[in-house]
Amino acid sequence: MASDAHGHVHDHGHSHGHEHGGDHGHSHGLVAASIKRSRAGLRAVLASLVILGLTAGLQIVVFVLSGSIALLADLIHNVGDALTAVPLGAAFLMRSFKAEKYAGYFVVATIFVSACVAFGESVDRLINPQPLSHLWALAGAGVIGFLGNEAAAVVRLRAGRRLQSPALVADGYHARTDGLVSLAVVASAAFVALGVQVADPLIGMVVTVVILRITWQSFVTVRDDPGEPDGLAAEDEGGHGHSHAHDL
């Protein structure tokens, strides 16, 4: 009886150690890593959304005052850029790498649509030219667009590289290039001030070409996404390995 009791106690202790150790190792290996990545991704997406939202808001005011098609082309793209935060944020919230890849393709589609709209508006303004006003405000809006996009790019690129998220990295380069495109609005204001009115829609078309180039680069980046980040996979394997050790 004593030996049976001893064996029973031994079995009970082994069972307890297996259940506690296995669950503990599994939760801290798989769950903690994915939650940490999800929260970091959401913070980056929300921060860039706020920055681009404020930038677009300021540019809308200037567009209403100036009527610049070059600014409109840049504004349309900035608004679309801000909206890409929605699917990216949802993907990070779901902690789904497949959803993250689909969100990346949504970013690409959004960039392409904004290019089409900007091109159409540029052609219309070329055929039906309209005088511009508030040129200093227009140039200021271009500077605002550059600073806002660059700030959003820094947030996205840092987080994207750290989290190994091609979709977030692609959106970061997209924002950075948008910042340079915003400087084209400043050039538009300068040319119009010199009396070259046709420069405004022409610069709008140049912006369209740049956006199309970004579209292709972003598509390639997302298409080549390998899937689950290496670091996260290694941490997951470490968590599972810990639990199997307790199973022996």
Side-chain angles (χ1 to χ4, degrees):
M1 291 296 292
S3 60
D4 291 340
H6 178 74
H8 175 71
V9 171
H10 175 74
D11 291 339
H12 176 73
H14 178 77
S15 175
H16 176 74
H18 166 71
E19 293 176 1
H20 176 74
D23 291 344
H24 180 77
H26 179 76
S27 62
H28 282 271
L30 174 63
V31 179
S34 61
I35 289 178
K36 185 183 299 183
R37 184 177 187 275
S38 173
R39 290 175 178 173
L42 282 173
R43 283 195 299 269
V45 168
L46 290 176
S48 64
L49 176 62
V50 170
I51 293 171
L52 291 173
L54 291 174
T55 301
L58 292 174
Q59 288 187 323
I60 287 174
V61 173
V62 179
F63 170 70
V64 171
L65 294 175
S66 65
S68 167
I69 194 63
L71 174 57
L72 179 60
D74 188 46
L75 174 59
I76 291 172
H77 195 199
N78 285 339
V79 171
D81 192 11
L83 292 178
T84 58
V86 177
L88 276 174
F92 279 116
L93 187 62
M94 294 166 61
R95 300 200 294 274
S96 168
F97 299 109
K98 181 177 292 186
E100 194 173 323
K101 191 177 188 71
Y102 288 151
Y105 282 125
F106 177 80
V107 170
V108 175
T110 301
I111 301 171
F112 178 73
V113 170
S114 66
C116 294
V117 173
F119 179 75
E121 293 292 339
S122 299
V123 172
D124 179 70
R125 188 59 64 91
L126 187 62
I127 297 174
N128 304 300
Q130 298 179 16
L132 297 180
S133 59
H134 303 86
L135 295 181
W136 283 107
L138 180 61
V143 174
I144 291 172
F146 169 73
L147 295 177
N149 277 289
E150 179 60 22
V154 170
V155 171
R156 290 175 174 178
L157 287 171
R158 286 180 178 176
R161 289 165 179 161
R162 185 175 68 254
L163 303 176
Q164 299 181 49
S165 171
L168 198 53
V169 169
D171 219 17
Y173 280 122
H174 165 210
R176 172 158 288 172
T177 307
D178 286 349
L180 298 178
V181 171
S182 291
L183 293 181
V185 176
V186 180
S188 177
F191 277 112
V192 171
L194 295 174
V196 187
Q197 295 288 336
V198 73
D200 186 51
L202 291 180
I203 290 176
M205 290 183 177
V206 172
V207 169
T208 299
V209 173
V210 174
I211 296 175
L212 287 174
R213 183 171 180 270
I214 299 169
T215 302
W216 174 250
Q217 292 177 332
S218 299
F219 170 75
V220 172
T221 300
V222 175
R223 182 194 62 188
D224 296 340
D225 179 6
E228 184 176 6
D230 296 335
L232 189 64
E235 189 170 347
D236 289 349
E237 290 174 2
H240 285 295
H242 181 66
S243 66
H244 288 309
H246 284 276
D247 289 342
L248 296 178

